[in-house]
Amino acid sequence: MADESQSRVARRKAEKKTNKNKSSIWKKIGLAILGLIAVVAISVIAVFSYYIFTAPRLDHSLLGDPASTKVYDIDGELFADLGQERRTKASYQDLPDVLVDAVLATEDVRFFKHSGVDVRRSIGAIFANLSGGFGAEGGSTITQQVVKSSLLTPEKTMKRKVQEQWLALQLDRSYEKEEILEMYLNKIYYGGESLGGAYGVATAAEMYFGVTDLDELTLAQAALLAGLPQRPSAYDPTHSPELAQERMNTVLNLMVRHEKITQEEADEAAAVDVEDMLNIAERTTTPYQAFIDQVRIEVEEKLDADIYNDGLEIYTTLDPSAQEHVEYVLSDESPIAYPDEELQSGIAVLDTKTGAIQAIGGGRNRQSGGFNMAIQAKRQPGSAIKPILSFGPAIEYLNWSTYQQIENSGPYEMAGSSAVRNWNGEYQGNVSARYALQQSLNVPTLHALEEVGISQATTFAEGIGVPIPEDGLNIRDGIGGSKLSMSALDMAGAYSAFGNEGIYNEPYAVTKVVFGDGREENLKSEPVAAMSDATAYMVTDMLRSVVESGTGSSANIPGLPMVGKTGTTDDNVDVWFSGYTTNYTIAAWTGYEDSTQPVPANHTSISRELFKNVMTEISAGIETDDFEMPDSVVRSPVERGSNPPQLPSDYTPDSQIVVELFKRGHEPQQQSEQFDQIDPVTSLSAEYDEDANQIDINWSHSNDQDVNFIVKYGKDGSTGNESQTSDTSFTISQVDRGDTYTIEVVAVSSDDDDLASEAKRIEIRVPEENDDDEPDETDEPDDPVDEPDEPEDPEPDPDPGDGDEPEPPEDDNDDEDNGNGNGNGDNGEDENNDNGDNESDEE
C-alpha cells in the first residue's frame, strides 16, 4: 500500500511539472508575439513619423489659383499667357446646391462630417488595396485631393499617402469646409483637350454648355460635370459621348442613393442626351499650340513642372513667321493639294547649327490640344533612314568613300524572310555608294549595313538622337520598314547633325524657365560631336546628288544650296522628306492616322512639296552659305569601274572618269593601266579615181581598240576639211584637177575625242586633164611638194565647188553610265522618281 501511495504522489508531481512546463512555453510564445507586435508597431510609428516629418509644409500660397504661365518667342516677345484664358474662378457662393450635391455624392459624401480624412473610406480602400495591389483604390477625400494637387507629387506610394493624410488634417483645421470645396472646384481638370482644356468647374461649364452663371446648370449638366474629373479624357463628351452618358447616369444613381435627389428626378435627367446638352462655342485658343505642346513636354521632362499650373516664365526658340507659315501650309488655304480631309502631315523646323526648334506643324485640321503629328506620331522612316543607319556609319567607321563599290547584282536574300528588292527592279552589278543613295536602292543599302554591322550602326544612330527600340534593330531597319519608328522632330534632329559638321544638338524649344521665386533653369541642349566632319560632309554631298538628279529632284530649290532625302515605306503608308541647308533643317511626314492606310499614289510627293514650300519661304531674304568641304576630305578623280578605286591614266577617256570624295589619307594612289595609248593608223594610202573624179583613201588599224577616225584634208598644204568615220576608208569626191591634196588621219577613242593617236599624213597630186603622168602620192614627205604648172587653157569644171563631203556617220557608241560612279551626282542618267510612286522600301 505504501508503495502504491508513493507512486500516486510521484505521478502527481510529474503531471504538475509537465503542466508547468507547458504553461511556460505558451507564456514565452505570447511574450514573443507581443514583442514582435511591439517592434512592428514601433517600426510603423517610426516610419510614419519619418514620412510626416519629411512632408512639405502647408504652403497657403500654393492652395489658391496659381498665376498664369507666360511664354516668350525667340525675340523675347510674349505670345501666350497660359492659364489666364483657361480658368474662370468661382467662389463658394457661386456654386448651386445641385452641383455641390452631385460633387459630394460622387467624390466625398461625408465631406462636411469628417476632419479631412474619412476613416471608414480609408479602411475600405485598405482592403481594396490588399486584394488589388497598392493603388487599386485611393480612398481620398476632397480635402486630400486638394493637398495632392497643390503640394504633393502624383505617384502612388505609401509615403505620399501618409503625407497626404497628415496634410489633409492640417488643411481641415486651417480652413472652413466651404473654402476647401471652393479650392477643389477651381483646381480640378475637366478635360476637353480638343477645345483647349478646362481647369475649374466654371471654365468647364462655359466650355461644354455655354453656361456662364453656374446657377443655370441643370441636374443633368451638374451630374456630367461631377463625373468628369475621375477620367476627364475618357469621359470627354466631345469625343466619347456614350461613355460620358454612362458616367452621368452613374452620378445620378449615387445622388439617389445618398438621398440628394429622387428617383423620378434622376430618371428625368438621365433621359437627356449628352450630345443635346453640349453648346460648344468657338473659343479663343492658344496661338501656336503645336509648338506649346513641345514646350509642355520639355518643361515636364526636364523640370517636373506644369506649365498650366506653376506660374512660370518660359523663354523659347519659336520663330513666329516660320510657325505661321507652317500652320498655313497645313490649313484649308494651303497651296498643297491634299486628296482628302483625313490625310495628315507633320513638320518640324530646326536651326541646323543649334538644334533650336523654329516651328512645329502638328497636323491638318488639328484642334487645340489634339494629337501632335510632328512630335507624338512615331512612324516607320522608310528610305530616309538610309544615311543614318547605312551610309553614315560606313563612312564613319569603315572609311568608305562616296565611290565605294557595293554589290547590287540581285535581290538581298534573308533566311526566314522574303528577299528585299530594289524599287526599280534593276541590278547593275556593283554600284557606287553615291549612286545607291541617289537612287534609293535597297539592295546595296542592306549590303552596306551588313558590312558596317548592326552594333556600330546602332551606336551611330543613337548619337544623333534616333530612338532605338528596346529589343534593338534588325537588318530590315536599314531600309526603314521594320521595328524602328521616328517622329518628324526625331528625323529633323538626326539630319541636322549632317548639316552641322557632325555636331548634334538635341532639338529643344525652351531656352530658359523662370520660377515664381525667381529661380532660373537653362534648358538649352549641349552640342555633342556625333561624327567626324568628313562623314558629315560626304553624306551631305551624296544627299546633294539625291536632289539634283535622284529620287528627290522635285524638292530641289534652284539657287539655294540644299540637300535632302526621300523616304517611303511599303505600300506608301508613310511618306517622308528630310533635308537641310546650313541655316535650317526640315523634316516632313505624310500619312494617315490609321497606320495601315496608304497615301494615294498620285499624292506621294506631298512631303517633298511641303519641304520645298517651307524651306523656300523661310530662306527668302537671308544669306545661305554653301556647305564647306573640310580639310579632312579630298576630292579625287577615279577611273570608273576600278575596284578598289584607281586614278585615271593619261589615256583614260573623260567619260570613264568620275570625281568622288575620300577621307584624307584614304584617297586612291595607284594609277589605272586599263587604257593604253591609242595606236596610229598604218598602211595609209590614197589613189585618184579618174572616172569618178575622186580620191579613195584607205588605211589599217589594230582591231583591239574601240576607235573612230578623224580624216582631215585640203589643198595646198591645208587640212581645213574634217570628217569622222568608223570605217578604215574614206572618199574625197569632186576633186580639183591639177591640185595637190594633203590628207591626215587620226585614230580617236570612240568615247572621248580628246584621246587621240599620232596623226598620219599623205599627199596626192590630182593630174590635170590630158596629163598622162600618174598622180603623185607621198606618205609624210619631208620636203614641200612642187607646185604643178598652171595649164594654158584649162577647161571649166562643170561643178567647181568644194566637193560633196559625205555626212559623218551617227555615233552609236555612247555608253550608258552603269552607275559605278557619277562624279558630283551627274551621271547622265535621269531616273528621277518625283512622284515617289515606285520608292517602296519592301516589295
Side-chain angles (χ1 to χ4, degrees):
M1 289 288 296
D3 291 340
E4 186 175 332
S5 177
Q6 289 178 354
S7 176
R8 284 198 298 268
V9 170
R11 284 199 300 272
R12 290 194 190 100
K13 287 182 178 180
E15 288 175 357
K16 288 182 179 180
K17 185 175 181 179
T18 300
N19 292 335
K20 186 176 181 180
N21 288 339
K22 287 182 179 180
S23 176
S24 177
I25 291 173
W26 283 111
K27 186 182 292 184
K28 289 179 180 179
I29 292 173
L31 290 174
I33 292 173
L34 289 175
L36 181 62
I37 292 174
V39 170
V40 171
I42 293 172
S43 299
V44 169
I45 293 172
V47 171
F48 278 33
S49 299
Y50 170 75
Y51 289 162
I52 292 171
F53 180 77
T54 57
R57 65 186 180 87
L58 189 64
D59 189 338
H60 301 276
S61 65
L62 298 177
L63 297 173
D65 194 21
S68 63
T69 291
K70 293 176 170 56
V71 189
Y72 300 88
D73 66 20
I74 194 171
D75 297 318
E77 298 293 329
L78 179 69
F79 73 88
D81 197 349
L82 306 178
Q84 189 175 67
E85 75 281 8
R86 291 173 178 262
R87 187 178 281 111
T88 301
K89 191 172 182 179
S91 67
Y92 182 78
Q93 288 72 25
D94 298 327
L95 304 176
D97 290 341
V98 66
L99 178 61
V100 173
D101 289 342
V103 171
L104 296 185
T106 306
E107 294 292 335
D108 190 357
V109 71
R110 286 179 289 278
F111 173 71
F112 284 101
K113 297 179 180 179
H114 60 65
S115 58
V117 176
D118 189 338
V119 177
R120 187 191 308 176
R121 189 173 180 182
S122 296
I123 292 173
I126 291 174
F127 284 106
N129 290 330
L130 290 174
S131 59
F134 188 78
E137 185 175 313
S140 295
T141 64
I142 285 177
T143 311
Q144 289 174 254
Q145 292 183 56
V146 171
V147 166
K148 180 172 62 177
S149 63
S150 302
L151 305 173
L152 300 172
T153 57
E155 75 271 16
K156 293 183 178 181
T157 63
M158 180 63 72
K159 177 181 179 181
R160 200 269 295 163
K161 197 66 179 177
V162 171
Q163 292 177 342
E164 176 188 302
Q165 292 179 342
W166 169 252
L167 291 171
L169 294 172
Q170 294 186 64
L171 181 63
D172 193 77
R173 289 196 298 268
S174 301
Y175 290 89
E176 297 294 332
K177 290 288 187 179
E178 291 80 3
E179 292 177 300
I180 295 172
L181 185 59
E182 179 182 309
M183 293 176 193
Y184 171 76
L185 289 174
N186 280 319
K187 276 181 173 290
I188 202 71
Y189 183 59
Y190 285 86
E193 289 90 347
S194 62
L195 303 174
Y199 285 88
V201 68
T203 307
E206 181 179 0
M207 181 179 72
Y208 288 123
F209 312 127
V211 173
T212 56
D213 184 352
L214 295 179
D215 283 328
E216 297 177 0
L217 286 173
T218 66
L219 173 58
Q221 291 171 336
L224 178 59
L225 289 175
L228 286 176
Q230 186 185 69
R231 296 176 63 197
S233 296
Y235 296 140
D236 185 341
T238 62
H239 285 171
S240 305
E242 298 85 0
L243 289 177
Q245 188 84 41
E246 292 178 10
R247 180 60 178 164
M248 183 186 76
N249 293 339
T250 299
V251 173
L252 292 171
N253 291 334
L254 289 170
M255 294 179 73
V256 172
R257 180 191 304 174
H258 297 297
E259 300 180 350
K260 304 294 184 182
I261 59 174
T262 65
Q263 185 63 54
E264 290 76 16
E265 290 173 318
D267 293 341
E268 182 180 351
V272 179
D273 188 89
V274 162
E275 292 184 279
D276 292 338
M277 288 195 298
L278 298 180
N279 181 18
I280 307 297
E282 188 171 334
R283 306 183 73 218
T284 302
T285 58
T286 305
Y288 314 146
Q289 183 62 49
F291 188 90
I292 290 177
D293 291 342
Q294 179 63 22
V295 171
R296 175 184 57 79
I297 291 171
E298 290 184 25
V299 171
E300 286 182 0
E301 290 182 350
K302 296 179 180 181
L303 299 177
D304 195 24
D306 184 346
I307 66 174
Y308 295 115
N309 285 311
D310 291 347
L312 311 171
E313 290 183 9
I314 304 175
Y315 295 84
T316 75
T317 61
L318 175 79
D319 181 340
S321 60
Q323 181 69 34
E324 288 171 7
H325 189 75
V326 165
E327 292 181 1
Y328 162 67
V329 297
L330 296 177
S331 70
D332 291 338
E333 291 76 34
S334 173
I336 310 300
Y338 284 88
D340 52 55
E341 293 297 314
E342 287 70 38
L343 185 61
Q344 283 292 339
S345 290
I347 303 173
V349 182
L350 308 183
D351 182 318
T352 300
K353 297 181 179 66
T354 66
I357 302 172
Q358 308 286 275
I360 291 177
R364 298 179 63 232
N365 310 311
R366 181 177 183 268
Q367 294 177 310
S368 179
F371 192 76
N372 194 311
M373 290 294 174
I375 60 180
Q376 292 175 295
K378 301 282 188 176
R379 305 301 279 263
Q380 291 184 345
S383 290
I385 201 66
K386 290 175 179 178
I388 297 171
L389 286 184
S390 294
F391 297 102
I395 294 172
E396 178 72 7
Y397 301 122
L398 305 181
N399 297 313
W400 275 18
S401 69
T402 59
Y403 173 81
Q404 177 73 32
Q405 298 295 287
I406 314 174
E407 182 183 344
N408 185 40
S409 56
Y412 186 92
E413 300 291 344
M414 289 187 294
S417 179
S418 59
V420 176
R421 295 173 172 80
N422 290 333
W423 62 266
N424 58 9
E426 296 179 2
Y427 306 94
Q428 305 97 322
N430 286 350
V431 295
S432 68
R434 181 190 296 278
Y435 184 79
L437 188 57
Q438 173 191 345
Q439 295 301 325
S440 199
L441 301 178
N442 294 332
V443 171
T445 298
L446 294 186
H447 281 297
L449 176 56
E450 180 181 11
E451 189 160 344
V452 75
I454 294 292
S455 176
Q456 291 191 118
T458 299
T459 299
F460 186 90
E462 286 180 326
I464 53 178
V466 176
I468 303 299
E470 289 186 7
D471 56 349
L473 302 174
N474 62 41
I475 193 70
R476 279 190 182 270
D477 284 310
I479 55 175
S482 186
K483 298 182 293 181
L484 182 63
S485 60
M486 300 174 67
S487 68
L489 187 59
D490 295 331
M491 187 71 74
Y495 268 67
S496 67
F498 293 121
N500 192 34
E501 300 177 353
I503 304 300
Y504 173 68
N505 293 279
E506 181 183 0
Y508 65 96
V510 179
T511 60
K512 182 177 68 173
V513 173
V514 181
F515 288 85
D517 58 3
R519 177 169 54 96
E520 295 186 6
E521 292 287 349
N522 189 332
L523 300 189
K524 288 183 179 179
S525 63
E526 296 296 325
V528 177
M531 69 190 85
S532 67
D533 58 354
T535 297
Y537 182 79
M538 291 166 71
V539 169
T540 295
D541 198 63
M542 294 164 72
L543 293 176
R544 194 194 303 266
S545 298
V546 173
V547 298
E548 289 182 349
S549 56
T551 58
S553 60
S554 65
N556 194 22
I557 304 172
L560 185 69
M562 50 77 61
V563 306
K565 181 70 184 74
T566 52
T568 309
T569 59
D570 194 26
D571 295 328
N572 298 331
V573 168
D574 300 292
V575 181
W576 294 82
F577 190 86
S578 186
Y580 51 91
T581 67
T582 51
N583 293 330
Y584 299 108
T585 300
I586 299 175
W589 165 86
T590 301
Y592 288 92
E593 290 190 39
D594 178 359
S595 60
T596 64
Q597 184 175 354
V599 176
N602 57 341
H603 287 87
T604 54
S605 63
I606 286 179
S607 291
R608 278 166 281 166
E609 294 176 48
L610 289 170
F611 170 89
K612 185 172 184 177
N613 186 294
V614 175
M615 183 64 84
T616 300
E617 175 68 20
I618 64 178
S619 299
I622 64 172
E623 183 177 355
T624 302
D625 296 329
D626 202 350
F627 302 96
E628 184 176 349
M629 187 172 76
D631 291 338
S632 55
V633 176
V634 176
R635 196 180 297 276
S636 174
V638 182
E639 184 171 285
R640 186 189 300 278
S642 58
N643 190 22
Q646 293 181 324
L647 297 170
S649 70
D650 293 339
Y651 308 109
T652 303
D654 287 348
S655 61
Q656 296 302 309
I657 299 176
V658 294
V659 178
E660 295 286 2
L661 301 180
F662 296 80
K663 284 187 173 181
R664 187 173 294 278
H666 297 274
E667 64 270 27
Q669 303 293 332
Q670 185 177 354
Q671 191 175 71
S672 172
E673 297 179 357
Q674 180 179 356
F675 296 94
D676 296 325
Q677 183 176 7
I678 294 182
D679 296 330
V681 302
T682 58
S683 306
L684 178 60
S685 64
E687 183 178 348
Y688 174 65
D689 183 343
E690 185 173 7
D691 293 337
N693 189 30
Q694 63 185 30
I695 299 175
D696 296 324
I697 309 166
N698 292 278
W699 62 88
S700 299
H701 192 268
S702 58
N703 295 325
D704 58 350
Q705 291 178 302
D706 188 9
V707 295
N708 292 326
F709 302 97
I710 296 177
V711 180
K712 298 180 180 180
Y713 60 93
K715 298 184 292 184
D716 301 326
S718 72
T719 55
N721 300 302
E722 180 178 318
S723 290
Q724 187 171 137
T725 180
S726 58
D727 297 329
T728 54
S729 62
F730 189 77
T731 299
I732 305 174
S733 303
Q734 299 297 319
V735 297
D736 293 335
R737 304 292 292 266
D739 285 340
T740 299
Y741 283 79
T742 303
I743 301 164
E744 184 178 280
V745 181
V746 178
V748 297
S749 169
S750 61
D751 296 322
D752 185 0
D753 289 352
D754 293 333
L755 186 59
S757 72
E758 174 189 359
K760 290 298 181 179
R761 175 177 291 198
I762 193 173
E763 291 186 349
I764 182 172
R765 177 179 175 274
V766 178
E768 298 178 5
E769 198 169 354
N770 300 324
D771 188 347
D772 295 333
D773 296 335
E774 291 293 323
D776 297 328
E777 182 181 307
T778 308
D779 186 0
E780 294 187 286
D782 295 327
D783 299 324
V785 178
D786 293 336
E787 291 293 326
D789 294 334
E790 189 70 14
E792 292 182 4
D793 199 7
E795 292 286 335
D797 193 326
D799 186 7
D802 294 332
D804 294 329
E805 283 187 36
E807 289 291 328
E810 290 186 39
D811 183 3
D812 296 325
N813 296 316
D814 291 338
D815 292 337
E816 183 178 341
D817 194 316
N818 65 359
N820 291 333
N822 57 1
N824 295 316
D826 182 7
N827 65 1
E829 293 191 35
D830 186 11
E831 295 191 57
N832 298 342
N833 185 27
D834 291 349
N835 290 326
D837 299 342
N838 295 321
E839 196 198 346
S840 177
D841 289 306
E842 294 197 64
E843 298 294 322

